[in-house]
Amino acid sequence: MWHKYPNSRCTHVVSIDTIDRTVDPVTGIIRTERVMGCKQKAPLWIVKVRPYSPPACVFAVSNAAARLMQLFGGSEDAFVREISFVDPATQNVTITSVNLSLSQFATCNELIRYSPASPTHTLFSQTAEIQARMALWRSAADGLEKWLVQRFEQNAHLGKLGFTDVLRNLWEERHRAPSPS
Amino acid sequence: MSQSLSPECTPLKQAYDSCFNSWFEGYLEPAIAASTSSETRAAYSKKKADEFQAKCGKVWEEYKACVQKAVKEKGLDKLLQQAREENPLVEPIPPPPVNSTTK
C-alpha cells in the first residue's frame, strides 16, 4: 500500500512525504501520516471518470484546488493529508485522506478500508464525505473582492500612466512642430 | 521511488523509505502469527517497535527535520495543524457496526 503512488495510472501524485509514523509497542498497529502533492496534469474528467485510484475524491477536490490556485496565480501544487492504520491482529487496513489545499473552502474526507472477508478474499470499502464551508464563503468573497480591487487599482494605475504618456507625446509633438506662421 | 515535496529532502526521504520498507517486509506475517494471544502480540510488537527505532530512528530524525522545514516553507503547516485539530486520527477508525439483519 505504501507503493501505491506513484504509479503510471496515477501520475498526478508527484510527491509523497511521511510526516509521522508510530509502531504501537503493545498492539503492533502501524500509524502513518503522509502528505502527498499532486499536480494538475490530467484533465479533471479523467480523475472523475476513473475512480480506481483512492483517494479519488480527494484528488478531484485537490485538482479543483490546483486549478483555482493556478487561476489566482498561486502555487499549482495541491496537497493531501493521508493517515493509514495497519493492524496485524485484525488484518485491517484503513486509509483516510483529506485535502489540505483550499480546505478553507471545501473538504473531502475519504475513508478506505481493507478487511479480510475470508482466507482468500479481502473486502474493500470506500466512503467519502464532501463538505463545503459555507460560513467561510463570506470571507472568501471578501478576499476575492479585495483581490479584484487590487487588480483594478494596479490596472487603473497602469492605465493612467499609459494615458499620461499619450498626452505627453502629443504635447511634445505639438511643441516640436514648427509653428504655423 | 517518489520525490519529496522539497528536492533537498528527497535523498533523506528515499533512505528512510527503504529503511522502513526493509523493516516492514519481515513484519506482517510474524505479527499475524503472534496475534493469537495478547501476550505474544505485545512481546512481538515491543521487539519490532524497538528494532524499527534502532534501525531507522536516526535517518527518520534527519528526514523529519528536513520535511518539517519544507512543510512550513510551502505554507502547509497551518493547514496541517487545522486538519489535525479537526480530525486527529490517533486511533484506528473502528469498523462500522455490523447490521444483525443482514449478517
Side-chain angles (χ1 to χ4, degrees), chain A:
Chain A
M1 55 167 287
W2 287 290
H3 302 289
K4 197 158 71 191
Y5 308 107
N7 66 51
S8 57
R9 278 153 66 88
C10 205
T11 52
H12 51 284
V13 177
V14 291
S15 75
I16 305 170
D17 282 285
T18 301
I19 54 167
D20 194 32
R21 176 173 276 142
T22 51
V23 181
D24 191 305
V26 177
T27 61
I29 294 172
I30 303 171
R31 178 191 183 274
T32 304
E33 185 168 359
R34 304 195 302 179
V35 168
M36 295 188 280
C38 58
K39 270 204 162 55
Q40 176 58 51
K41 271 182 188 162
L44 199 57
W45 62 267
I46 289 182
V47 181
K48 275 186 182 160
V49 171
R50 296 195 206 153
Y52 59 85
S53 74
C57 132
V58 181
F59 283 121
V61 170
S62 294
N63 282 331
R67 278 262 165 102
L68 276 167
M69 284 152 83
Q70 277 175 325
L71 204 68
F72 289 100
S75 158
E76 58 177 317
D77 290 345
F79 292 92
V80 170
R81 175 193 184 221
E82 181 209 76
I83 289 113
S84 63
F85 292 95
V86 177
D87 186 350
T90 62
Q91 296 180 48
N92 266 261
V93 172
T94 54
I95 306 165
T96 49
S97 316
V98 69
N99 59 298
L100 291 172
S101 305
L102 292 207
S103 56
Q104 59 268 48
F105 304 112
T107 53
C108 177
N109 268 288
E110 189 160 315
L111 172 64
I112 287 161
R113 182 189 302 275
Y114 298 91
S115 50
S118 78
T120 52
H121 286 78
T122 299
L123 196 70
F124 168 85
S125 77
Q126 184 175 21
T127 55
E129 195 184 279
I130 298 174
Q131 225 171 4
R133 306 204 186 203
M134 299 309 277
L136 285 165
W137 282 110
R138 185 62 237 162
S139 74
D142 286 348
L144 183 62
E145 267 175 29
K146 205 177 280 175
W147 183 76
L148 287 169
V149 167
Q150 279 169 359
R151 303 256 67 192
F152 171 74
E153 280 172 354
Q154 281 168 11
N155 289 334
H157 181 62
L158 287 175
K160 185 174 153 279
L161 286 177
F163 191 54
T164 308
D165 285 346
V166 169
L167 288 175
R168 186 187 295 117
N169 289 341
L170 272 174
W171 190 85
E172 282 174 357
E173 245 170 59
R174 181 89 29 109
H175 285 256
R176 226 184 289 125
S179 46
S181 59

Side-chain angles (χ1 to χ4, degrees), chain A residues 16-17 21 28 31 33, chain B residues 4-5 13 27 63 84 89:
Chain A
I16 305 170
D17 282 285
R21 176 173 276 142
R31 178 191 183 274
E33 185 168 359
Chain B
S4 169
L5 64 95
K13 171 209 144 61
Y27 178 73
Y63 169 47
R84 282 172 168 171
L89 288 164

